[in-house]
Amino acid sequence: MIQFFGKFHPLFVHLPIGIFLFGLFLKAYGWYKKSEIDSGIFKLVLLVSTFSSVLSVITGLILFSGGDYEKDTVAFHRNAGIAFTVFSILLYFFNDKKWSLYLWILGLILLVLTGHLGGNLTHGEEYLSFETHKTEKKPIVNVQEALVYEDIIKPIFEEKCVSCHSAKKQKGKLRLDEKDFLLKGGKNGECLNLKNPGESLLLERLNLPDGEEEHMPPKAKPQLTGDEKRIIDWWIKSGSDFEKKAKELKQTESDKKTLLTFQSGNERGQSASIISEAEVSEPSKNAIEILKKSGVIALPVSEKTNYLSLTIFENNFSEKEIAAFKEIKNNILILDARGLKNKAFFQILPLFNNIRKLNLSGADLGDSDVQKLSALKELQSLNLSKTGVTEKGVAYLKANPKLKNIYLFDSKFDKKQFKTLKSQFPQTVLDTGGYNISDSDSLKFGL
């Protein structure tokens, strides 16, 4: 029951701030005008400020006793608050002194320090900072090869949850920053129900209506996106595994689409700008169904077009699946086939005559394969990073009039030939990933 009164701390803590600042303003005004202000006004201001400060300290100590905060984290804020309360009492007795303005200024410094530390506890360490340093997320090149917890779930928790559930603050005695604490749970029990995943408390709290008191994250905090909620729901209901890759967990078509949103370079939101004005017929539903069963994700690039964005994860395709690709060849606008090793598929790539963006990063292809891509006259962006392509293979692409970008990071071309190669592509950016070229090469690389 006593913990209930601790909830009033955020209310009381603002009273001494406003009252003290009002007193300081009066003190500075009297000093500036060289006129005395009735000492009774200051006594009343300081009396109310001290009283509200005492209430703030008491409710703060009650809140701290609930165990939601680490002792070392709260210590400075608690001690600064107590010091300010004591300082307010001293001011009550010494306000009539000529030098008391300096005491008011010292009190202001102490008040700002206390407020700053309190703001850090409630909203995170960067709440009152001029600069914010977001945790840089690890790029996910192939989401199916990503570790579900480490690469997808944990970054979501770090961004949206750990401000309330970390080593410094444990609302409900719950930490979500490490595996062991996730499994341990909080004061309301386990947050992950490994026996009945669908009944996990974490899922229940995430799916509560925004207005509910126990909804996570709290209303004032950044909320989870729809995809973040869906991916956490999928992970928990799949058994909350901390070691497996995405491809090792059972997925519906909806799950695959959601996973794809966490993949680096996902271009669904940007694809509308490259859609051809020439419309194509509706893609074969039978062909798409065949490809989906083989692990291909086929998504429309827009609700108002029949063009598709394809993402390929498998390396083995049967003749039936190759035939399905041919059947929808005119519908393919974007193709992500990074890491692909299937030679039969490379043979049919030149048939995708409407393709605008093609990602073959890490694919098993060489110069002869790239020569066949010169038939793709609508191609605007081509990623050949981490392939066996040399400057000879890249030169074949000069016949592609609409190419805007060719990505060549960690490919096999001779860097000393870059200047010559670049001269053959005056309208195309050859992105090398920022190689460091020695002065002896006298080349300005990557432009």
Side-chain angles (χ1 to χ4, degrees):
M1 178 63 182
I2 193 171
Q3 281 297 314
F4 172 77
F5 294 101
K7 295 181 179 181
F8 288 95
H9 180 68
L11 171 63
F12 290 132
V13 79
H14 293 92
L15 294 176
I17 296 174
I19 296 167
F20 188 87
L21 289 176
F22 174 68
L24 177 60
F25 172 78
L26 286 179
K27 191 71 177 178
Y29 180 79
W31 177 81
Y32 176 73
K33 291 292 186 178
K34 294 181 170 51
S35 62
E36 291 293 330
I37 295 177
D38 189 351
S39 62
I41 294 177
F42 285 108
K43 286 186 179 295
L44 178 61
V45 167
L46 288 168
L47 190 63
V48 177
S49 176
T50 302
F51 179 71
S52 57
S53 184
V54 169
L55 288 177
S56 298
V57 170
I58 293 173
T59 53
L61 291 173
I62 293 173
L63 196 63
F64 172 58
S65 68
D68 288 349
Y69 298 88
E70 283 291 317
K71 181 179 179 180
D72 292 341
T73 306
V74 177
F76 287 115
H77 173 61
R78 177 198 62 197
N79 295 342
I82 293 173
F84 173 76
T85 304
V86 173
F87 201 86
S88 296
I89 296 172
L90 290 175
L91 262 177
Y92 181 85
F93 293 104
F94 292 103
N95 180 62
D96 291 335
K97 303 295 182 182
K98 291 183 179 180
W99 40 265
S100 62
L101 177 62
Y102 300 106
L103 290 181
W104 280 91
I105 294 173
L106 288 174
L108 175 63
I109 294 172
L110 199 54
L111 182 64
V112 169
L113 175 63
T114 306
H116 173 72
L117 295 172
N120 285 352
L121 284 171
T122 305
H123 304 285
E125 291 187 358
E126 295 179 345
Y127 179 64
L128 295 176
S129 300
F130 288 106
E131 296 182 5
T132 56
H133 304 281
K134 292 185 177 180
T135 303
E136 190 170 333
K137 293 182 180 179
K138 174 185 175 183
I140 301 177
V141 176
N142 186 339
V143 73
Q144 292 293 336
E145 294 291 336
L147 294 169
V148 179
Y149 171 71
E150 193 66 31
D151 297 334
I152 302 175
I153 303 299
K154 189 176 181 180
I156 296 174
F157 287 161
E158 288 176 345
E159 183 179 0
K160 302 290 179 67
C161 305
V162 298
S163 62
C164 291
H165 303 283
S166 66
K168 295 185 176 182
K169 179 180 179 182
Q170 302 97 45
K171 189 175 182 179
K173 297 184 179 179
L174 174 65
R175 288 180 60 174
L176 298 176
D177 54 335
E178 296 293 343
K179 169 187 172 181
D180 292 341
F181 297 112
L182 265 166
L183 293 172
K184 180 181 178 182
K187 70 178 182 181
N188 293 314
E190 296 179 342
C191 64
L192 297 175
N193 188 332
L194 300 183
K195 292 183 179 179
N196 297 294
E199 298 178 6
S200 294
L201 183 61
L202 183 57
L203 273 185
E204 178 187 326
R205 295 295 173 83
L206 291 178
N207 291 315
L208 284 173
D210 291 352
E212 293 285 340
E213 183 180 353
E214 294 181 339
H215 167 77
M216 290 176 56
K219 188 176 181 179
K221 299 284 186 177
Q223 297 298 301
L224 296 173
T225 66
D227 286 328
E228 288 171 339
K229 280 187 177 182
R230 283 188 284 272
I231 213 66
I232 293 172
D233 182 272
W234 168 71
W235 174 65
I236 292 177
K237 290 180 178 178
S238 297
S240 305
D241 190 278
F242 288 84
E243 307 296 334
K244 289 183 178 180
K245 295 181 178 180
K247 68 179 183 180
E248 297 174 304
L249 299 180
K250 187 177 179 180
Q251 301 169 26
T252 64
E253 285 301 317
S254 177
D255 296 330
K256 289 180 180 179
K257 290 178 181 179
T258 302
L259 278 165
L260 195 59
T261 65
F262 293 89
Q263 182 167 288
S264 302
N266 178 39
E267 298 175 289
R268 287 189 67 200
Q270 307 170 20
S271 55
S273 62
I274 64 169
I275 297 176
S276 172
E277 293 182 2
E279 189 52 87
V280 292
S281 59
E282 185 177 355
S284 166
K285 293 181 180 179
N286 181 58
I288 291 177
E289 190 60 34
I290 291 172
L291 295 177
K292 283 183 177 180
K293 289 180 180 178
S294 70
V296 175
I297 294 179
L299 303 173
V301 296
S302 169
E303 295 179 358
K304 299 180 180 180
T305 183
N306 291 320
Y307 286 106
L308 299 173
S309 173
L310 267 58
T311 302
I312 297 174
F313 298 110
E314 300 297 330
N315 274 303
N316 297 313
F317 293 117
S318 65
E319 291 184 6
K320 181 180 179 181
E321 291 156 353
I322 292 294
F325 277 114
K326 290 181 180 179
E327 198 169 347
I328 62 169
K329 60 184 176 63
N330 293 330
N331 301 91
I332 301 173
L333 191 80
I334 298 172
L335 176 61
D336 188 340
R338 63 187 88 185
L340 195 67
K341 313 296 181 186
N342 190 285
K343 289 297 181 181
F345 182 82
F346 292 142
Q347 297 298 319
I348 65 170
L349 262 178
L351 300 177
F352 302 163
N353 57 319
N354 284 323
I355 197 167
R356 302 299 198 272
K357 295 190 176 184
L358 176 59
N359 189 343
L360 296 173
S361 173
D364 182 17
L365 75 163
D367 294 339
S368 60
D369 299 302
V370 176
Q371 183 179 15
K372 297 170 185 175
L373 300 183
S374 61
L376 302 176
K377 302 304 181 184
E378 298 296 327
L379 191 61
Q380 297 179 15
S381 176
L382 176 62
N383 192 334
L384 298 174
S385 300
K386 300 182 180 180
T387 65
V389 176
T390 70
E391 66 278 4
K392 179 181 177 181
V394 177
Y396 289 130
L397 298 170
K398 63 185 178 182
N400 296 64
K402 297 184 179 181
L403 258 179
K404 297 178 181 178
N405 300 89
I406 303 176
Y407 299 92
L408 298 166
F409 171 70
D410 204 19
S411 58
K412 301 299 181 183
F413 77 92
D414 184 356
K415 64 183 181 181
K416 293 183 179 180
Q417 300 299 318
F418 182 79
K419 189 173 183 179
T420 301
L421 188 65
K422 182 68 180 76
S423 66
Q424 299 177 49
F425 292 87
Q427 305 300 323
T428 305
V429 175
L430 302 182
D431 189 334
T432 65
Y435 287 107
N436 292 319
I437 306 301
S438 64
D439 292 338
S440 60
D441 288 329
S442 65
L443 298 175
K444 191 171 183 181
F445 211 65
L447 298 178

